[in-house]
Amino acid sequence: AKGISVHGEVAASQDYPNYRPEFDFNFAAVKKLDPRMTFTRTGEASYHDGIGSVKFVSDNVPRFDHDIVTGECKGLLVEPAGTNYSYYSRRFDVIASGSWVPQNGGATPTITANTHTAPDGTSSGAYMADTITGATGTAFNGNVVQQQHTAGANVKHTFSLYIKLLTATQATIYIRDGGTGSVSSTSAVNTKDWQRVVVTSSANLTNSTVHSFYIGNTNGTIAVWGSQIERSSYVSSYMKTEAGANGTRVADFPRLETEDFTDMISQETGTLIAEFDNQSNDGYVLSIDNGAPKIGMVNSDGYQLAGKQDNGSSLGTTDNGTVLDGTNKFALAYEVDNAAISINGNTATVDTNFNPLPTTTRLWFGLREGQYDHLGGAISRVIYYRQRLSNSQLKTLTS
């Protein structure tokens, strides 16, 4: 008898739960919150819509962010409070204290305000023409304008700018540490659409020292808008600045907080599945909370862990591997002496020292109780089962 020939890959069996979840919040698909959720934020904040534009929303309005290039929805954006230290972030032609100043070896660039439709739909995009010939963008030698900022702490800084290439085939932005002289740079890609160009300093900028932020090596004409300088290792949503003043954003606080919370979220057994966009390598993804007592998914310093406390005493953390830049899937299951986590299809890591949750009253999305440790990114989906799923199911659901 002849055997069976198999061509191509054979998929291994996968273990899916046969339970129905208590809820499945697919933020990226529906682009709205479940009616059982509460969302608060004081003040204006921005996000990218599905066609590459920047939109602003007012108090207590959630944001569903999108990839500026592909238009794909990333999900519910949850950010901490932020500050934009770049003055005149939509005006590059004003010469004043703290503004953008021509800085290119004596050849004055041509800068004209309000000449292009900006990413936010206004006419505040600025025209900028470099007068340097032969600038290639391969060296720190062709600057158009410069803005200076004094670092208030030894932290990395991130500089971002919306750029539209006109006749130029490139545009480069730089951060120069005024204490060490080190330079970090990145260039726009060759497209005629608006793009957000982002560079982070390669190291912490020297404290209490003036540092320089340059737009340079345009090698032609460009349109610019929305400069942002942050004391952070990653870029956040754009914050407007007016003249010589900082721009700010207040933190987001999304949560599930209902009268029948303990009926919805079991205090003894359960499983949370989350898919999120990693930007900051820090902060909580989810937290079942009531102050000190909690169980949470934490995205911290490049790895995932479950942080647990009972009556204020830490029960330790559990590591399950390295997070990725971009999309990650995380599962956390709990029952007495049998908690476990799995990230991105890793074999579940089990903790046999877990007590039942005390009475909790809230499920926070992208932070923990007390307004701390924001994710700084988007959560695309959250699923909750009242059952403690098996370790193999945790692996399957995060693959």
Side-chain angles (χ1 to χ4, degrees):
K2 294 184 177 179
I4 298 174
S5 297
V6 178
H7 301 279
E9 295 183 358
V10 178
S13 61
Q14 291 185 304
D15 185 8
Y16 287 96
N18 56 8
Y19 308 107
R20 292 181 62 87
E22 184 73 18
F23 59 77
D24 182 352
F25 298 158
N26 195 333
F27 301 126
V30 302
K31 301 182 185 180
K32 62 181 180 180
L33 298 186
D34 185 275
R36 292 169 287 185
M37 289 184 62
T38 300
F39 182 91
T40 52
R41 184 195 59 253
T42 303
E44 181 184 73
S46 73
Y47 70 98
H48 293 120
D49 68 5
I51 57 173
S53 300
V54 175
K55 300 293 185 182
F56 292 89
V57 295
S58 58
D59 292 17
N60 303 325
V61 178
R63 297 170 291 160
F64 297 91
D65 203 28
H66 297 72
D67 186 289
I68 192 173
V69 177
T70 67
E72 179 182 5
C73 184
K74 295 181 178 181
L76 174 65
L77 185 57
V78 185
E79 294 185 301
T83 300
N84 180 4
Y85 294 95
S86 178
Y87 293 174
Y88 298 90
S89 67
R90 291 168 293 163
R91 291 294 298 268
F92 301 83
D93 61 320
V94 177
I95 307 301
S97 176
S99 69
W100 290 99
V101 178
Q103 194 74 213
N104 60 355
T108 303
T110 300
I111 304 172
T112 310
N114 303 321
T115 53
H116 289 269
T117 301
D120 67 346
T122 68
S123 61
S124 57
Y127 170 89
M128 186 176 290
D130 191 359
T131 55
I132 294 177
T133 59
T136 64
T138 59
F140 182 60
N141 62 359
N143 308 305
V144 180
V145 293
Q146 174 202 52
Q147 186 167 132
Q148 294 186 322
H149 169 65
T150 302
N154 284 302
V155 296
K156 287 186 176 182
H157 283 52
T158 295
F159 172 32
S160 57
L161 178 73
Y162 290 88
I163 297 176
K164 184 177 182 179
L165 299 179
L166 302 176
T167 66
T169 57
Q170 66 163 47
T172 304
I173 63 175
Y174 298 91
I175 300 175
R176 185 177 187 276
D177 189 320
T180 66
S182 65
V183 175
S184 304
S185 67
T186 191
S187 298
V189 296
N190 192 8
T191 173
K192 299 302 179 183
D193 297 323
W194 284 104
Q195 55 195 283
R196 196 179 194 190
V197 184
V198 180
V199 61
T200 298
S201 60
S202 58
N204 294 345
L205 296 190
T206 307
N207 189 21
S208 301
T209 300
V210 176
H211 307 284
S212 298
F213 298 79
Y214 294 99
I215 306 169
N217 290 326
T218 61
N219 198 21
T221 61
I222 60 175
V224 293
W225 182 84
S227 61
Q228 186 151 294
I229 297 171
E230 301 178 76
R231 295 174 179 174
S232 170
S233 61
Y234 68 99
V235 67
S236 72
S237 60
Y238 171 64
M239 294 163 275
K240 294 177 183 176
T241 65
E242 303 293 345
N246 299 330
T248 59
R249 178 191 60 244
V250 175
D252 302 300
F253 299 106
R255 58 197 180 273
L256 182 66
E257 184 177 26
T258 65
E259 292 182 359
D260 58 349
F261 184 84
T262 55
D263 294 330
M264 181 182 299
I265 303 292
S266 170
Q267 310 296 293
E268 290 80 28
T269 62
T271 304
L272 286 162
I273 312 292
E275 186 171 337
F276 66 98
D277 183 50
N278 174 44
Q279 297 292 327
S280 64
N281 282 338
D282 200 5
Y284 272 71
V285 181
L286 296 172
S287 176
I288 303 176
D289 222 319
N290 187 23
K294 66 177 178 295
I295 182 168
M297 303 180 179
V298 188
N299 173 30
S300 178
D301 298 329
Y303 57 88
Q304 293 285 347
L305 52 94
K308 302 174 292 296
Q309 289 183 347
D310 182 5
N311 298 325
S313 299
S314 175
L315 295 180
T317 60
T318 305
D319 188 0
N320 189 249
T322 303
V323 297
L324 308 172
D325 290 333
T327 301
N328 291 265
K329 293 182 179 180
F330 190 9
L332 185 155
Y334 60 94
E335 65 182 8
V336 177
D337 295 334
N338 189 21
I341 57 173
S342 173
I343 177 172
N344 298 330
N346 291 343
T347 298
T349 303
V350 179
D351 187 333
T352 59
N353 183 31
F354 175 69
N355 293 332
L357 292 172
T359 300
T360 57
T361 56
R362 288 171 285 276
L363 170 61
W364 291 97
F365 298 79
L367 69 150
R368 67 178 175 93
E369 188 86 4
Q371 307 178 0
Y372 299 114
D373 298 331
H374 280 71
L375 177 64
I379 302 174
S380 58
R381 191 174 187 180
V382 175
I383 305 171
Y384 173 71
Y385 295 87
R386 291 184 63 85
Q387 298 81 12
R388 197 290 197 194
L389 300 184
S390 69
N391 294 338
S392 63
Q393 289 168 343
L394 302 183
K395 181 175 182 177
T396 294
L397 290 172
T398 61
S399 296

